[in-house]
Amino acid sequence: MMKIAEKICSLSEKKICLQDRAKTIGGKYTGVGKGKNLIVIQVEALQDFVIGLNYDGQEITPNLNKLIANESGLYFSKYFELIGRGKTSDAEFATQNSLYPSMDNETYTAYQDNTFYGLPWILRDNGYTSWAFHGYKKEFWNRDKVYPKQGFERFISEEDYQLGETLGFGLTDEDFFEQSISYIKEMKKPFYAFMITLSNHSPFEIPEKYQKISLRKEHKGTLLGNYFQTVHYTDEQIGKFIENLKREGLYEDTIICLYGDHFGLKTPDKENDKLMSDFLGYPYDFDEMMRIPLIIHVPGTDANEEITKTGSQLDFLPTILNIMGMQNEKGIMFGKDIINSESSFIAQQTYMLKGSFIDGEKVFVMSRDGIYDHSRAYNIETRQPVNLDDCKEGYNKAIKEINISDFILKNNLVK
Ligand code: GP9
Ligand code: MN
């Protein structure tokens, strides 16, 4: 049978061979997580700048910091969201499938009848049980229709949880994590549990009893101040969940991955820009807005380091497959194994328009009027302007990548 990559070689008018896109190259940490259970937590609106932050002597994310500092914690600090029109659902899609989400409509609706071969299917083909968990209405973002097609055998949604006190959308992260444990215990091992949190959603409002961070005067009553409180609340629930996993004897044999789905504090926005720029000490821009943490904890290993190569949600699938010692035998991946790949390049398509990219050195922001010469570019460390002539190659590459991925979605080429 012809593999997907071979098919595209013959189908694509652009005659671009994608054969090598289905393979991970292997090397460092290959197979260190082989045979272990996998829990992937997608945290609502978690940006990276809160990680390791000391806010007037207070840690905003003490439990995540602990997971990173653990002798088996990998922390990817230059990791970026990659969404299309679908926000949370596109973050899920890119992460599971290593394809660019659609810009026509959210991918879960625009391509609900497509066939996919991403993480849930790959794990099932390797003997795993794959379930998804999210404490909101199952129809939202079309999840109930799309999850089975993605390879999830069961979707534990709002109707499967006991709704107590509510926050924002409804079920609290506290109830979500506490009640999910009994479902996880039902899963046949090895298992893959994909969990999507909810409480840290804009406008980040929680009752006073949960507001444990003592805020500076200038942050009180602002979105940034609220954000510190809700991130801290969610971090606490994740900490309790990890303790529960330990109590249930699951922690030692389970890889825990965690990442943010997308930004919480938008730019451009007058209030956010002022508060964030003052707080960070440099202008708040797209790269900081879209930078989210990725943590991979592989128990019983000495995989403990900060990885500073640039990556995005597209890269999660090849990166975790390398760690779990698996290959994607049938699909295609637009991402790379961040740990072993030489590349430090990511393309963007929303907020930063198509053609925009971030690499190890610079950020290129395509102009909204579509005229290349009106674009801007800056060095990611010094924040100083970069000559646009030095961005042409990256700009062309970014467009080409997204167009090929879009071609695959439009023609339903993943079988
Ligand atoms: C709802 C939740 C929020 O189920 O995932 O979605 P968002 O508004 O962040 O895209
Ligand atoms: Mn979201």
Side-chain angles (χ1 to χ4, degrees):
M1 214 182 84
M2 221 186 205
K3 284 186 178 172
I4 172 75
E6 291 162 12
K7 260 195 237 170
I8 292 159
C9 289
S10 50
L11 275 171
S12 168
E13 286 163 16
K14 297 171 189 72
K15 304 258 185 291
I16 294 156
C17 190
L18 304 178
Q19 210 119 3
D20 53 344
R21 289 181 188 254
K23 290 261 170 291
T24 52
I25 49 180
K28 203 170 181 185
Y29 303 137
T30 302
V32 291
K34 205 176 176 60
K36 292 195 189 300
N37 304 309
L38 176 67
I39 295 180
V40 176
I41 306 173
Q42 176 172 300
V43 182
E44 178 61 41
L46 181 66
Q47 292 185 214
D48 189 75
F49 77 98
V50 291
I51 302 294
L53 183 66
N54 180 333
Y55 181 80
D56 298 342
Q58 307 160 93
E59 280 181 278
I60 304 293
T61 59
N63 292 292
L64 302 189
N65 300 346
K66 216 162 46 184
L67 199 61
I68 290 169
N70 189 297
E71 60 193 10
S72 310
L74 292 172
Y75 168 45
F76 300 75
S77 58
K78 297 263 162 50
Y79 192 70
F80 294 86
E81 66 175 64
L82 218 168
I83 57 177
R85 292 251 182 267
K87 287 198 83 184
T88 306
S89 59
D90 278 347
E92 298 174 13
F93 175 78
T95 299
Q96 302 296 318
N97 294 287
S98 196
L99 289 164
Y100 287 87
S102 168
M103 284 302 290
D104 300 330
N105 197 357
E106 73 257 15
T107 322
Y108 278 5
T109 304
Y111 297 106
Q112 59 177 324
D113 296 322
N114 274 27
T115 307
F116 294 103
Y117 190 72
L119 190 56
W121 279 124
I122 296 170
L123 289 175
R124 276 174 72 178
D125 281 353
N126 282 275
Y128 279 66
T129 311
S130 299
W131 290 10
F133 298 72
H134 180 56
Y136 195 54
K137 305 198 182 330
K138 61 177 193 273
E139 306 81 17
F140 197 80
W141 285 132
N142 213 16
R143 285 179 173 112
D144 60 334
K145 289 213 184 60
V146 168
Y147 277 174
K149 304 204 78 178
Q150 305 272 313
F152 290 112
E153 296 159 88
R154 199 169 158 191
F155 175 24
I156 309 296
S157 69
E158 187 184 67
E159 64 191 30
D160 301 299
Y161 294 92
Q162 273 185 338
L163 206 61
E165 184 187 13
T166 57
L167 289 179
F169 274 70
L171 191 79
T172 63
D173 283 355
E174 181 172 15
D175 284 338
F176 173 65
F177 281 116
E178 234 172 66
Q179 295 175 42
S180 292
I181 281 275
S182 56
Y183 288 112
I184 290 174
K185 277 162 61 188
E186 269 181 44
M187 295 177 79
K188 194 170 151 284
K189 287 183 191 156
F191 64 75
Y192 167 37
F194 179 45
M195 309 179 77
I196 301 134
T197 77
L198 198 53
S199 296
N200 186 45
H201 199 283
S202 65
F204 314 111
E205 281 163 1
I206 48 170
E208 226 172 290
K209 62 177 173 182
Y210 296 125
Q211 298 178 18
K212 298 192 180 162
I213 299 295
S214 160
L215 292 176
R216 293 179 197 169
K217 203 163 128 238
E218 70 263 30
H219 294 155
K220 283 187 181 150
T222 67
L223 211 57
L224 175 61
N226 289 355
Y227 186 71
F228 284 140
Q229 303 290 9
T230 49
V231 169
H232 186 71
Y233 164 83
T234 293
D235 172 88
E236 192 179 333
Q237 309 321 318
I238 293 168
K240 285 198 278 187
F241 178 63
I242 291 172
E243 288 312 308
N244 266 338
L245 290 174
K246 287 181 183 164
R247 232 186 330 272
E248 296 293 346
L250 290 168
Y251 178 81
E252 285 308 327
D253 209 22
T254 302
I255 302 170
I256 300 172
C257 304
L258 187 147
Y259 64 92
D261 64 348
H262 51 71
F263 68 91
L265 304 165
K266 193 169 177 292
T267 184
D269 173 280
K270 221 168 149 207
E271 181 183 298
N272 289 344
D273 290 351
K274 165 97 180 74
L275 284 170
M276 285 296 282
S277 301
D278 287 351
F279 182 69
L280 297 167
Y282 52 85
Y284 188 48
D285 212 322
F286 287 122
D287 60 309
E288 193 60 77
M289 165 182 130
M290 297 165 108
R291 199 162 59 88
I292 51 171
L294 169 66
I295 303 167
I296 300 182
H297 180 265
V298 192
T301 68
D302 58 359
N304 174 233
E305 61 174 306
E306 177 179 341
I307 291 164
T308 55
K309 264 186 267 174
T310 304
S312 81
Q313 286 163 334
L314 285 191
D315 301 324
F316 180 75
L317 178 60
T319 302
I320 195 68
L321 288 183
N322 172 63
I323 286 173
M324 298 183 83
M326 291 176 195
Q327 283 291 351
N328 182 347
E329 300 290 352
K330 302 177 196 160
I332 187 153
M333 302 186 288
F334 277 78
K336 60 191 180 286
D337 165 14
I338 307 176
I339 296 165
N340 290 299
S341 164
E342 291 295 312
S343 164
S344 224
F345 178 90
I346 63 153
Q348 284 290 342
Q349 56 176 1
T350 180
Y351 300 101
M352 286 163 83
L353 299 192
K354 190 165 153 184
S356 305
F357 68 88
I358 302 173
D359 64 19
E361 292 168 3
K362 55 190 172 301
V363 181
F364 171 76
V365 185
M366 181 60 198
S367 171
R368 299 200 88 80
D369 62 10
I371 300 170
Y372 182 88
D373 290 342
H374 295 171
S375 306
R376 64 188 175 96
Y378 54 93
N379 182 290
I380 201 160
E381 299 299 339
T382 65
R383 324 297 295 180
Q384 293 305 307
V386 167
N387 194 326
L388 289 181
D389 292 342
D390 298 335
C391 302
K392 257 281 149 59
E393 199 185 319
Y395 162 81
N396 287 325
K397 183 175 168 184
I399 290 178
K400 196 159 103 180
E401 288 287 297
I402 293 168
N403 284 349
I404 300 169
S405 180
D406 201 48
F407 179 84
I408 291 170
L409 285 183
K410 287 205 161 76
N411 292 284
N412 189 15
L413 293 181
V414 182
K415 294 292 175 202

